Amino acid sequence: MNKNLEAKQEAALRKILSEVPETSTYTPVTDSLSRATELGEDKIAGVLNGFSSMPQSTTVFANPALHKAAVDCGGTQITLNIRSFAIRGIVSESEIVADKLSPAFVIFAGLFGRRPGTDDSELDEETLLSNLIDKKFYEFITTRRESLTGEQRLVNQVAEFAKAFPEAGPEAAIQHFSTLRKLSIPNQKGINGTRDPDSLLLELIETHMENVAVGTVSAYMRHQLRENPALHPQVLAMRATDLITEYQKSEKTAFQTCYSLLLGREASTVEANILERMGIIQIHHGSAGSNVVARYLATLHTGAVSDFFVAAQMALDGDRHFGAIHDMTAFINQIEPLDTAAREEAIRERMQSALPTFGHPEIAAAGRADEIQQDPRPAIYFNPFLEAIDNGDIQLNDSQKKRLTIIQRIYQLAFVEGFVRPGREDEPPLRLTPNTDFGGWGVQEGLDIYESDRTLLTYIFRGFGWMMDAREQLPLKIIRPVIPPHPDVIPTPTDDMTIANEVVALHNRMASTNAFDG
């Protein structure tokens, strides 16, 4: 590369990384308190005063119910109030789906509060950020670090870990090597408000992409070991290095390389597109538990960036969070051997308590009325996968068809038919709508991703959402957005039916027979 151009790119990148989005000026509690005091409403002012220490609202994310769609549930018309999704009010899920925005485009908008463009020297900002992410990922194969047995390449250390713990999930590998990284790098600056925004963001990206490489490479190595448990760690390291080097030479993005590592083989274009859409939509999730942890650790001025990602990841894998995917796996494994009658009885019994991947603790995703809220993400994930089946681009084996048919029947029992709790037989049935985990589980089952690896894709992309949260905490400590988001980031109603059509299409497919036969 021309040295002059390289210097210009480096300067442009540093300038971009130093940008911090403006903080929220939306303070409805404070404003209402002032107005109540002005009006002499002492009781109201007294109540509001108890909330005066609540944080201001976030400018990162908003997901109000924005769209409506009517669907048929066995002859009953149900109106779905479909939640919307927007990062900083400038990138919506409908745009991601319709225009096929790249991961770097969406990440850029979330990190910097504006759409990428060209800088004064006409360098493309989206490409600059994408190249940085790729560079930090591909550095993995040459990185050397101290281990328990001395300094060696990190890829070799991951191979030894995978060989010693072949059943360990990718989160275990990430957490193990995060600890070693923390111990081997002296005088870490961590996350605090005195750091230059560019150096902090650069370290966040470096740390996360190394974690992503550790997780995906460990997943790939476990694929290799399942095929041949006798493989030596040196061979595992060599195979992973060869694959990554080949993809780097072919100018594949870091994310494209991750899809193949996750699958344990080269991902087809169709498979990569399915995984990429699912990943991009999961970049940020507002008030989700992992994001709350990320905000809290940034506010605490965490001493090591590694700890920031590990703690958020642990929350991500909680049973009431994306660990629900693991919960669904356990439930399917439990009921799969049963005959049809016993299986349906087990499903109905589970619906009486907590049905994995259905409902939501914070939105009205369950109800007996003719309106109910719906998370659009299962449809956004599922539809390209179903299209690929119809086109013959993906073929399911008999086991996959059986297991996917089981979750289709769960959908029908939970939402289309609904269920009645004891003592409430005179009331309409309670219906549960599926959440993001339903789509995540189903698509990854159909792509034959190992059960223990099914939260890794979320981790890969959600890490950038955590970075957005961390940067928002530096000038203004919000921790958890308890006040509605700033009005500027709330999507406004439009005539765009992209997402509503996606939701209805999936419902019609799931309510039919043999949804996965193609």
Side-chain angles (χ1 to χ4, degrees), residues 195-320:
R195 293 193 65 175
D196 293 332
D198 56 340
S199 66
L200 174 57
L201 181 54
L202 183 61
E203 185 178 351
L204 286 167
I205 293 173
E206 288 174 341
T207 303
H208 180 59
M209 293 315 297
E210 182 175 291
N211 287 344
V212 167
V214 167
T216 52
V217 166
S218 71
Y220 174 78
M221 289 174 174
R222 284 184 286 107
H223 275 279
Q224 299 291 308
L225 287 168
R226 284 184 173 96
E227 293 178 4
N228 182 1
L231 287 176
H232 191 276
Q234 291 278 25
V235 176
L236 293 174
M238 178 188 68
R239 291 185 179 182
T241 300
D242 288 347
L243 184 150
I244 294 172
T245 301
E246 177 187 345
Y247 273 56
Q248 185 179 21
K249 288 180 178 177
S250 302
E251 298 186 340
K252 298 281 189 181
T253 69
F255 300 115
Q256 291 168 334
T257 304
C258 286
Y259 308 144
S260 293
L261 291 168
L262 182 58
L263 292 170
R265 55 173 173 75
E266 183 173 0
S268 69
T269 300
V270 169
E271 290 170 329
N273 288 340
I274 290 170
L275 290 170
E276 186 142 285
R277 182 200 270 198
M278 186 160 66
I280 292 174
I281 293 294
Q282 296 185 69
I283 286 174
H284 204 281
H285 190 47
S287 60
S290 66
N291 297 78
V292 175
V293 170
R295 288 173 176 274
Y296 192 63
L297 287 185
T299 304
L300 286 178
H301 290 175
T302 304
V305 168
S306 288
D307 290 345
F308 169 81
F309 287 108
V310 167
Q313 180 193 35
M314 291 173 72
L316 180 74
D317 283 332
D319 285 345
R320 291 300 301 272

Side-chain angles (χ1 to χ4, degrees), residues 134-209:
D134 293 345
K135 177 183 177 183
K136 295 308 174 184
F137 175 84
Y138 286 122
E139 284 176 356
F140 170 79
I141 57 175
T142 57
T143 297
R144 301 182 67 86
R145 188 166 296 138
E146 288 294 330
S147 69
L148 299 177
T149 56
E151 185 186 270
Q152 59 176 321
R153 286 199 311 157
L154 190 51
V155 67
N156 291 86
Q157 296 181 42
V158 175
E160 291 177 354
F161 181 88
K163 181 71 173 182
F165 304 100
E167 298 305 317
E171 75 287 346
I174 291 171
Q175 291 168 19
H176 173 78
F177 288 100
S178 290
T179 299
L180 293 181
R181 180 195 303 118
K182 179 181 175 181
L183 295 174
S184 65
I185 301 176
N187 303 318
Q188 295 191 50
K189 296 180 180 179
I191 301 176
N192 63 72
T194 65
R195 293 193 65 175
D196 293 332
D198 56 340
S199 66
L200 174 57
L201 181 54
L202 183 61
E203 185 178 351
L204 286 167
I205 293 173
E206 288 174 341
T207 303
H208 180 59
M209 293 315 297

Side-chain angles (χ1 to χ4, degrees), residues 60 106 185 200 221 248 303 416 445 490:
V60 177
V106 179
I185 301 176
L200 174 57
M221 289 174 174
Q248 185 179 21
V416 179
E445 172 70 25
I490 298 175

Side-chain angles (χ1 to χ4, degrees), residues 371-407:
E371 289 198 20
I372 188 170
Q373 291 194 9
Q374 173 67 66
D375 184 336
R377 288 171 295 179
I380 294 173
Y381 306 161
F382 248 128
N383 288 337
F385 169 69
L386 292 169
E387 182 182 351
I389 293 174
D390 294 343
N391 293 338
D393 296 320
I394 290 177
Q395 288 83 37
L396 302 175
N397 60 38
D398 290 342
S399 174
Q400 289 170 314
K401 285 183 179 180
K402 179 180 179 181
R403 289 164 69 83
L404 288 170
T405 299
I406 291 174
I407 70 163

Side-chain angles (χ1 to χ4, degrees), residues 16-23 59-61 87-91 104-117 125 129 201 467-468 471-472 488-489:
I16 293 169
L17 295 180
S18 65
E19 289 185 35
V20 178
E22 292 183 8
T23 60
T59 59
V60 177
F61 178 91
I87 291 181
R88 303 225 181 254
I90 56 178
V91 176
F105 187 103
V106 179
I107 291 167
F108 189 102
L111 289 175
F112 305 113
R114 61 181 179 84
R115 302 167 81 89
E125 294 177 326
L129 180 61
L201 181 54
M467 292 181 212
M468 299 169 201
R471 301 184 88 222
E472 189 170 52
D488 290 349
V489 304

Side-chain angles (χ1 to χ4, degrees), residues 425-495:
E425 290 81 3
D426 295 334
E427 300 178 17
L430 179 67
R431 302 179 195 274
L432 302 174
T433 55
N435 58 41
T436 180
D437 307 320
F438 180 80
W441 190 94
V443 170
Q444 292 183 93
E445 172 70 25
L447 294 180
D448 204 24
I449 292 174
Y450 283 130
E451 293 177 352
S452 60
D453 295 341
R454 292 183 185 175
T455 59
L456 182 54
L457 183 74
T458 302
Y459 174 78
I460 292 169
F461 286 92
R462 183 59 57 83
F464 293 97
W466 297 334
M467 292 181 212
M468 299 169 201
D469 291 322
R471 301 184 88 222
E472 189 170 52
Q473 298 307 289
L474 298 180
L476 181 66
K477 306 298 182 284
I478 297 177
I479 306 179
R480 182 183 177 98
V482 292
I483 290 175
H486 193 291
D488 290 349
V489 304
I490 298 175
T492 55
T494 69
D495 295 330

